């Protein structure tokens, strides 16, 4: 097969969603690929970057043809690879989005060729494009390194959709697995959460599982019993109100402080997610998992507009959607999960109408609380 051949769809054997999940297990560093065309600066976050050859010194970077940085690199014939340091996750998020002036407020130093290099990057390499084979949706830019320098520090790591230090990323993966375990009620209410069993089942380090249970205790999702054992905390009306209010406060804050930052791409993506949510509701009973996942994506995308990894992280930690998986039976969910306020919120964002967006978000929160409250009531006051 020559390098420009695209694999026909009929030969694709792995489901794209499953493939994305599996590939996410490959831990990588994070870079920002930068370039300049006629004085205009371009940059995109990229993890599909690798060293290629030592003699001559070559690197490769894979960029989606839909990326504007892709076209700019092709035109400029030169690009910078900025390997991000562990404290630069906000830059990774900023350059991982489309539109806006990504370089606004970002300190750069220009290379001899005029390529902007991010100050504070762990290492930077400037490359001249040598070859551009393609694969699937991407162009592989093979570049000859013309400048390279490295500083001191630790790299930003990327693993299963999360940024962090490598050790921190493992801790976080364990935390997410334990949280999911607790909220899916894999250990029923009033039964002891056994760290050894959870560690074995989730293939996590037992110490990380213990730490996750302690953290979940602080977050009111786990309770310590008389003998210090860990027990799942029942979700009650009070707990629901506090997490829904916490999430609403973050989202309202994003609308209030960053309303002007919603790009056309953000709104188009929120529109696409809204449409998919609608379709899933119509499709009925088997779609709850998918509905909840899309719902998470929708709210994440909204909060991401603030460009703060910490805020997104705090927001995610207030999500308890998985508890509904076992509480809502059969096709009941499709009747219950009204998403009309989300549709209204998306429409208000599209019309750039902040007051309407705030109102829709308020109604959405009230609806979520009411639905949750009804489910809890039907389960005798706790889930
Ligand atoms: C952690 C992370 C890694 C990414 N890796 C790549 C990559 O290797 N190649 C790519 O084309 N896009 C990658 N992206 C997506 C682009 O950054 C994103 O599509 C961006 O909006 C493109 O911006 P542009 O159109 O202004 O160039 C990545 C995003 C993130 C957050």
């Amino acid at each position: 097969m020559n390098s420009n051949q695209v694999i026909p769809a009929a030969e694709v054997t792995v489901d794209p969603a499953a493939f994305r999940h599996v590939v996410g297990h490959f831990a990588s560093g994070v870079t920002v690929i930068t370039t300049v065309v006629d004085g205009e600066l371009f940059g995109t976050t990229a993890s599909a970057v690798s060293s290629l050859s030592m003699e001559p010194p070559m690197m490769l970077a894979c960029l989606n043809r839909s990326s504007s940085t892709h076209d700019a690199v092709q035109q400029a014939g030169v690009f910078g690879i900025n390997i991000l340091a562990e404290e630069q996750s906000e830059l990774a998020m900023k350059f991982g989005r489309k539109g806006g002036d990504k370089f606004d407020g970002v300190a750069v130093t220009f290379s001899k060729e005029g390529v902007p290099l991010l100050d504070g990057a762990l290492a930077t390499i400037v490359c001249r494009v040598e070859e551009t084979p393609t694969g699937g949706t991407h162009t592989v830019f093979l570049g000859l390194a013309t400048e390279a320098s490295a500083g001191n520090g630790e790299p930003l790591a990327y693993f299963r959709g999360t940024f962090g230090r490598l050790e921190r990323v493992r801790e976080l993966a364990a935390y997410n697995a334990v949280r999911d375990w607790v909220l899916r009620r894999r250990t029923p209410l009033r039964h002891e959460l056994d760290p050894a069993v959870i560690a074995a089942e989730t293939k996590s380090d037992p110490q990380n599982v213990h730490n996750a249970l302690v953290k979940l205790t602080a977050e009111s999702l786990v309770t310590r019993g008389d003998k210090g054992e860990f027990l799942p905390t029942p979700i009650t009306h009070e707990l629901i109100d506090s997490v829904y209010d916490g999430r609403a406060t973050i989202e309202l804050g994003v609308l209030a402080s960053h309303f002007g930052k919603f790009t056309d791409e953000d709104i188009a993506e929120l529109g696409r997610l809204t449409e998919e949510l609608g379709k899933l509701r119509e499709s009925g009973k088997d779609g709850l998992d998918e509905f909840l996942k899309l719902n998470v994506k929708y709210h994440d995308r909204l909060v991401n507009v603030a460009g703060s990894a910490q805020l997104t992280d705090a927001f995610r930690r207030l999500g308890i959607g998985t508890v509904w998986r076992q509480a809502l039976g059969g096709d009941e969910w499709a009747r219950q999960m009204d998403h009309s306020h989300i549709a209204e919120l998306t429409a208000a964002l599209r019309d750039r109408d902040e007051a309407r967006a705030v109102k829709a978000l308020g109604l959405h929160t009230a609806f979520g609380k009411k639905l949750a409250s009804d489910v809890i009531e039907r389960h005798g006051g706790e889930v």
Side-chain angles (χ1 to χ4, degrees):
M1 181 182 292
N2 83 37
S3 59
N4 287 325
Q5 220 164 333
V6 174
I7 300 170
E11 281 182 31
V12 175
T13 50
V14 181
D15 168 65
F19 184 63
R20 187 184 292 269
H21 171 73
V22 171
V23 167
H25 288 71
F26 182 62
S28 69
V30 185
T31 77
V32 174
I33 303 295
T34 49
T35 196
V36 59
V37 175
D38 297 334
E40 191 183 347
L41 308 186
F42 293 85
T44 180
T45 300
S47 54
V49 171
S50 168
S51 63
L52 176 64
S53 135
M54 289 298 135
E55 290 184 33
M58 289 187 78
M59 297 290 294
L60 68 80
C62 307
L63 295 186
N64 196 314
R65 283 195 292 282
S66 69
S67 144
S68 53
T69 310
H70 168 282
D71 294 355
V73 169
Q74 209 146 37
Q75 214 180 323
V78 61
F79 61 96
I81 300 174
N82 301 265
I83 300 173
L84 297 185
E86 69 177 339
E87 63 279 3
Q88 290 181 308
S89 57
E90 302 218 343
L91 283 181
M93 290 183 67
K94 184 168 188 168
F95 282 93
R97 300 177 53 216
K98 275 188 175 294
D101 182 1
K102 298 190 192 180
F103 286 87
D104 186 27
V106 176
V108 297
T109 304
F110 291 93
S111 77
K112 284 202 281 296
E113 297 87 343
V115 174
L117 299 174
L118 306 183
D119 290 358
L122 185 59
T124 56
I125 303 165
V126 179
C127 293
R128 200 178 67 216
V129 176
E130 291 283 298
E131 289 178 56
T132 54
T134 60
T137 48
H138 281 55
T139 299
V140 187
F141 289 96
L142 307 187
L144 184 71
T146 56
E147 285 176 47
S149 79
N152 291 318
E154 296 294 322
L156 180 66
Y158 188 64
F159 177 64
R160 298 188 69 179
T162 305
F163 298 114
R165 279 191 294 125
L166 277 179
E167 179 48 29
R168 169 96 185 90
V169 165
R170 268 196 295 271
E171 276 168 29
L172 206 63
Y175 167 82
N176 286 334
V178 177
R179 191 176 200 283
D180 199 50
W181 177 289
V182 171
L183 284 178
R184 282 173 186 252
R185 299 292 185 239
R186 291 191 61 184
T187 300
L189 289 180
R190 281 171 280 283
H191 286 70
E192 186 176 338
L193 290 154
D194 184 338
V197 171
I198 302 175
E201 288 272 328
T202 62
K203 299 188 177 58
S204 305
D205 177 74
Q207 187 58 47
N208 284 343
V209 170
H210 179 88
N211 293 348
L213 288 168
V214 171
K215 203 163 159 200
L216 290 167
T217 308
E219 290 170 13
S220 302
L221 294 180
V222 167
T223 313
R224 297 304 281 264
D226 296 342
K227 294 177 222 77
E229 75 278 25
F230 295 104
L231 302 162
T233 309
I235 306 278
T236 57
H237 297 290
E238 294 74 37
L239 191 59
I240 280 296
D241 280 356
S242 86
V243 296
Y244 275 65
D245 286 343
R247 283 167 66 85
T249 304
I250 291 177
E251 290 191 309
L252 286 171
V254 172
L255 292 184
S257 309
H258 303 280
F259 201 75
K261 277 208 213 158
F262 280 87
T263 63
D264 291 345
E265 284 81 8
D266 289 328
I267 291 167
E269 178 61 6
L270 291 171
R272 191 187 66 76
L273 292 168
T274 306
E275 229 173 81
E276 279 189 44
L277 284 168
K279 279 193 207 138
L280 272 172
R281 272 192 63 218
E282 280 163 25
S283 79
K285 64 178 184 198
D286 295 327
L288 177 59
D289 260 12
E290 199 50 36
F291 187 91
L292 291 171
K293 263 191 227 154
L294 280 177
N295 192 49
V296 167
K297 271 197 193 161
Y298 184 95
H299 291 281
D300 264 12
R301 179 80 192 204
L302 196 142
V303 173
N304 268 341
V305 168
S308 160
Q310 286 88 340
L311 193 69
T312 302
D313 194 38
F315 183 75
R316 283 188 188 156
R317 276 193 274 122
L318 287 166
I320 55 162
T322 34
V323 83
W324 307 129
R325 285 195 171 99
Q326 55 89 41
L328 287 168
D331 60 356
E332 182 188 24
W333 74 272
R335 288 196 306 275
Q336 304 271 350
M337 293 272 179
D338 182 358
H339 84 306
S340 61
H341 302 305
I342 286 291
E344 166 63 6
L345 173 58
T346 308
L349 289 169
R350 202 174 280 135
D351 294 346
R352 308 278 169 185
D353 186 337
E354 186 177 342
R356 229 174 100 204
V358 167
K359 189 168 169 222
L361 190 57
L363 291 172
H364 176 65
T365 306
F367 171 80
K369 274 189 184 175
K370 169 83 172 66
L371 173 62
S373 205
D374 290 348
V375 175
I376 291 170
E377 207 54 58
R378 269 187 284 123
H379 282 77
E382 58 180 42
V383 168

